[in-house]
Amino acid sequence: MAAKISRTWAGALAAIVAMIAMNPPAFADGKPAKALFGAEKLPTQASPSSFGFYSKGCVAGAVAIPTDGPTWQAMRLSRNRRWGHPELIALLERLSQDGAKYDGWPGLLLGDISQPRGGPMVSGHASHQVGLDADIWLTPMPPRTLTANERETISATSMLKKNARLTVDDRIWTPAHARIIMRAASYPQVERIFVNPSIKKKLCETWTGDRSNLGKVRPYYGHDYHFHVRIKCPEGSPGCKAQAAVPAGDGCGKPLAWWYSDEPWAPAKKDPNAKPAPKPKPMQVSDLPKACSVVLEGKAASSEAAATFRGGSGMVSYSASSSPAAAQYDVMLPAVVPLPLPRPMQQ
């Protein structure tokens, strides 16, 4: 099948590459990729497909989750980051419904998902670039619709004790927090969930349900105000680069103990004789998978409403003939894309 797609689209891709070479697009002037992707207000009309790695890529055919649902509300609307691959958006809606029905969690407050075409963000995240990551606040949804101003100004609630590093505040943490996190981890599509190390420790000590998915819950820096859901590369996205599998086990032993040592918090050692390191250059579009140039230049959806996910079987359908569908070119991407190494390695 891939070979057939390759033969069909190889000529089209070659023509586009040649056209770009003869008529360099606006992003060839060295403007950072984050500025270009951040300026796009609507997704590309294309078959849904993720390209590259979670921290180095883009997404075609993204859809927006509605700002409000019966069991969710989107926050920080001014950022325009409630876009994602349809599989992720469908999963978020399902999690909100299951949490309300089974876990005593009245609804999700949704933070950043991705930009309309993914890619690097001007602020806030290194990941969330391929439409497969979402931040969910650890504050349950209130029993009313928040105002636009409240969505911009209300802060999520930290689960940590003040002035006590890596200690969950039991006056704030509830069994429902554990249930909604473990509910998310139970879905087969979910690849990882990032939480503060203290939250991982609390789950290790108190979770009495099925622990087979506890290993998906990974301790990481920050994440005391929200948990970060990451799904696997969807079918139909062969240009998406998967993360290494989560190690076997529940992750409650030695890997967690490492976070309670001095090593993860010690400042990096500096060589006094070393020359000052050059300032890192902002990521360019040329640093991303080749398909991201097509995504960035592709025809936009007709409107935000037209590209908003409608739930169930009513997902947005883009016409394949309406624009060069970047999803058709993923078989032409390099077989190996350098993956950023997470810190620490076991995440």
Side-chain angles (χ1 to χ4, degrees), residues 112-136:
D112 286 352
I113 303 175
S114 288
Q115 298 175 138
R117 305 188 188 199
M121 295 181 179
V122 174
S123 63
H125 299 284
S127 59
H128 292 253
Q129 293 193 29
V130 292
L132 305 178
D133 294 281
D135 288 342
I136 300 173

Side-chain angles (χ1 to χ4, degrees), residues 14 103 163 179 181 242 319 342:
D103 302 320
N163 304 316
R179 289 194 294 267
I181 292 172
S319 169

